[in-house]
Amino acid sequence: MLAQQQPAAAGAEKQPEFKNQAEYDLYTAITQDTNPQTRMEKLQQWEKQFPETAWIKARRTLFLTTYVALNKPKEAVDAAKAILANDPKDFSAQYYIMFFAPGLYASSKSTDLLDQGEKAANTILASIATPPPNVKEEDWAKLRPDVELMAHVNLGYFAMQRSNWAAAETEFTKSLQMKPGNGQVDYWLALVLSSQKKPELIPKALFYYARAGTYDGPGAADPALRKQSLDFATRQYKSYHGSNEGFNEALLTQAKTNAIAPEGFTIKSATAIANEQAAAEEEKAKQNPQLALWKQLKGTLTSADGANYFSSSMKDALIPMLKGKVVSMEPAVKPKTVVLALEDGITPDVTLKFDTPLPGKVEPGTELSFEGVAQSYTTAPFMLVLNVDKDKLHGWTGKNAPAAPHHRTLTSKR
């Protein structure tokens, strides 16, 4: 984009003079040569034949743009630094240092490149509203968004390499706000958020991992990175949330339809879910202490140590007041055995035995309260058997059917 921008060789202001016709001819040949390789050869010839020249700034700029055209980033950066040594605000030099620094750092890990790239990007942003020399206002209006975007992306990259997570998060987020749709930045932002080790940032990190893995429009990450990101998001969601429940709705759908994590976006952690469930159970226990006691007893009996607990602590002991719903009776009228469902009102889990029959019968679903002495239990299916005295049973409404009326035999008078 900017490789073709060069300082004007002529204009209203008086130009430096060439030493002789040979230098002028060489300069003309260089500026007219569209082949980067042969143009570089001519530049090297110019430098060798005329080491001192009044056109040193133009020559340095030509070296820079020719190295760019030849895709030689290290040499281009060196040429840019030579320009900045004499003109610290030269736009082209700043631009190409900013442009090449991330790639050169990735291969060399030289922190000097981070310093140089960061300084160049900040210098460009400081005067972003002003067109560079020799760039028209209308042209700069078209070029500026891409230059500004690159500056913020690269500042985020430089900050990330320094483990300056907060600064990197700010720059990457700003770049996505300027231009949504950059899978690589999505991945970097996810990495930066997760690297901060803050529990409250984990949902946002998962969002951007999912975004990097699912976004397939312009600017999408390469297929390998997309797969890596989506696989990681899938594993981490289950680890964080405690299950895959809601993965598609709570995460993938949001990531596919939003370039930026929505305000207030969150995912409940397994810890938060467990705390909510515990609070709900505690509230239920307050509202229904008998059910809470039953769940505790059943949980203990179905544990690995259940049999030992029953024989040592429950057998022949009076179980405090519990409550359940009638499932069945034996016999159907005047029963001596009543089966109850204590937890869900449907699944039988307690059998009450009586020495003498209960009066009449009650309908299935009738709620009874009772205290009883534990006699035995099984775990598969679960069933606890209690002996219960009639006076320890509450809620039984059955009555003995009245005896059939006795009729005397009608006799006739004789």
Side-chain angles (χ1 to χ4, degrees):
M1 178 183 69
L2 297 177
Q4 302 305 317
Q5 296 179 13
Q6 301 177 14
E13 295 182 5
K14 183 179 179 181
Q15 297 298 312
E17 293 185 1
F18 294 100
K19 286 191 174 183
N20 52 39
Q21 186 66 37
E23 184 182 15
Y24 174 78
D25 291 342
L26 188 52
Y27 170 79
T28 301
I30 291 169
T31 56
Q32 293 176 350
D33 193 340
T34 58
N35 183 314
Q37 186 60 53
T38 54
R39 185 168 70 245
M40 176 57 69
E41 293 170 359
K42 292 182 179 72
L43 277 167
Q44 292 169 340
Q45 180 184 350
W46 183 14
E47 186 177 46
K48 183 178 179 180
Q49 291 182 358
F50 302 94
E52 301 293 333
T53 178
W55 286 81
I56 188 64
K57 179 175 175 61
R59 185 161 70 190
R60 287 170 177 160
T61 300
L62 284 165
F63 265 113
L64 170 60
T65 56
T66 305
Y67 280 129
V68 170
L70 288 169
N71 193 27
K72 292 189 173 183
K74 183 180 182 305
E75 290 81 356
V77 167
D78 289 340
K81 287 161 63 177
I83 293 172
L84 293 178
N86 291 278
D87 183 1
K89 294 185 178 181
D90 184 272
F91 177 83
S92 292
Q94 299 285 6
Y95 175 85
Y96 285 115
I97 289 176
M98 174 184 74
F99 180 86
F100 286 121
L104 289 172
Y105 173 80
S107 59
S108 70
K109 302 302 179 186
S110 169
T111 55
D112 286 345
L113 284 163
L114 297 181
D115 296 337
Q116 295 159 15
E118 186 175 70
K119 183 177 179 180
N122 281 322
T123 300
I124 287 173
L125 288 176
S127 58
I128 196 71
T130 304
N134 305 311
V135 178
K136 296 177 181 179
E137 287 273 1
E138 57 269 27
D139 292 335
W140 183 237
K142 298 174 184 177
L143 295 171
R144 172 180 167 174
D146 288 338
V147 175
E148 190 171 4
L149 177 65
M150 183 192 298
H152 287 296
V153 170
N154 286 10
L155 283 174
Y157 177 84
F158 302 141
M160 179 176 67
Q161 298 306 323
R162 298 181 191 276
S163 300
N164 189 346
W165 309 124
E169 178 187 352
T170 297
E171 295 296 341
F172 287 145
T173 302
K174 189 176 296 185
S175 75
L176 290 174
Q177 290 169 339
M178 293 174 63
K179 186 177 180 180
N182 189 323
Q184 180 64 72
V185 172
D186 289 326
Y187 177 79
W188 282 339
L189 181 52
L191 183 62
V192 162
L193 288 165
S194 59
S195 295
Q196 294 182 56
K197 308 296 183 185
K198 295 180 180 179
E200 66 272 19
L201 294 181
I202 293 177
K204 241 174 125 175
L206 288 173
F207 173 91
Y208 286 107
Y209 278 122
R211 175 72 179 170
T214 58
Y215 175 67
D216 58 1
D222 65 73
L225 183 57
R226 288 179 59 194
K227 183 179 186 305
Q228 176 186 336
S229 299
L230 186 56
D231 288 348
F232 186 80
T234 304
R235 293 194 306 272
Q236 289 304 111
Y237 180 92
K238 183 176 182 179
S239 175
Y240 180 74
H241 185 65
S243 72
N244 287 325
E245 183 182 4
F247 178 72
N248 288 330
E249 301 80 7
L251 185 59
L252 288 193
T253 299
Q254 292 276 18
K256 286 178 181 178
T257 55
N258 295 280
I260 304 291
E263 188 69 26
F265 175 81
T266 190
I267 298 167
K268 284 187 179 179
S269 68
T271 300
I273 292 171
N275 289 340
E276 288 179 1
Q277 291 174 341
E281 289 297 321
E282 185 177 349
E283 184 60 28
K284 286 181 182 178
K286 290 178 182 178
Q287 299 297 323
N288 192 341
Q290 293 168 330
L291 180 59
L293 172 61
W294 170 244
K295 287 183 176 181
Q296 182 181 2
L297 285 174
K298 186 174 180 180
T300 302
L301 291 175
T302 54
S303 68
D305 196 45
N308 180 57
Y309 175 79
F310 181 83
S311 62
S312 64
S313 302
M314 280 186 67
K315 184 171 174 55
D316 298 326
L318 181 66
I319 306 302
M321 186 72 72
L322 294 171
K323 183 165 54 177
K325 291 184 178 181
V326 174
V327 176
S328 63
M329 298 168 288
E330 181 65 34
V333 179
K334 295 183 180 181
K336 293 182 68 176
T337 300
V338 179
V339 178
L340 303 177
L342 272 63
E343 192 162 343
D344 61 8
I346 299 173
T347 307
D349 41 26
V350 170
T351 297
L352 309 183
K353 290 186 174 293
F354 300 88
D355 288 336
T356 59
L358 296 171
K361 67 175 185 176
V362 296
E363 294 300 319
T366 299
E367 190 170 77
L368 303 177
S369 298
F370 59 91
E371 295 176 76
V373 177
Q375 292 303 302
S376 63
Y377 88 105
T378 58
T379 57
F382 184 86
M383 181 59 67
L384 175 64
V385 179
L386 305 176
N387 286 338
V388 181
D389 293 333
K390 285 184 180 181
D391 61 352
K392 299 293 186 182
L393 179 69
H394 309 283
W396 185 269
T397 56
K399 296 180 180 179
N400 286 325
H406 176 71
H407 301 284
R408 65 186 177 85
T409 303
L410 178 67
T411 58
S412 60
K413 294 183 179 180
R414 292 184 183 274

